[in-house]
Amino acid sequence: QGQTVESGGGLVQPGGSLTLSCARPGTFFLPYRMAWFRQSPTGKQRELVADISRDGTTKYIDSVKGRFTISRDNSSTTMTLQMRSLRPDDTAVYYCNTYTTIWPWGQGTQVTVSS
């Protein structure tokens, strides 16, 4: 199995949108409850942002509800996080992993929200 690869980050103005992607060559995500995490510049540890269960049930932390959407593709080889109405406090490095973080962490993808 390959390493986890996150992509899609960048610099965006407040109110903007980004879509992050996660892939792990050789791995199907469907057997796992998957999640997105983030670590802010001042964060002491990674924070769970959103997760998607094997049956497709999704959960979000309060600060991103209504703005972020987590999903898997039909082949379940990639996972995405659609982010809209971005705020400066969304600035962080975003990572994907299983909900119980059983995989080594990837490099993450930097999201910077700034005017």
Side-chain angles (χ1 to χ4, degrees), residues 48-62:
L48 174 66
V49 175
D51 69 85
I52 182 166
S53 300
R54 288 178 292 178
D55 66 358
T57 301
T58 57
K59 293 183 179 179
Y60 303 89
I61 57 173
D62 286 344

Side-chain angles (χ1 to χ4, degrees), residues 46-77:
R46 289 183 182 93
E47 169 189 41
L48 174 66
V49 175
D51 69 85
I52 182 166
S53 300
R54 288 178 292 178
D55 66 358
T57 301
T58 57
K59 293 183 179 179
Y60 303 89
I61 57 173
D62 286 344
S63 63
V64 308
K65 281 181 182 176
R67 301 188 299 119
F68 289 12
T69 303
I70 186 172
S71 63
R72 283 191 301 251
D73 71 346
N74 289 336
S75 65
S76 196
T77 57

Side-chain angles (χ1 to χ4, degrees), residues 1 4 6 22 24 27-37 46-54 70 72 79 95-106:
Q1 295 179 341
T4 305
E6 300 93 348
C22 168
R24 185 175 171 85
T27 302
F28 291 95
F29 293 163
L30 191 57
Y32 304 98
R33 183 177 179 182
M34 295 295 299
W36 282 96
F37 301 81
R46 289 183 182 93
E47 169 189 41
L48 174 66
V49 175
D51 69 85
I52 182 166
S53 300
R54 288 178 292 178
I70 186 172
R72 283 191 301 251
M79 182 174 67
Y95 303 86
C96 66
N97 208 320
T98 66
Y99 181 78
T100 53
T101 67
I102 63 173
W103 296 332
W105 293 101

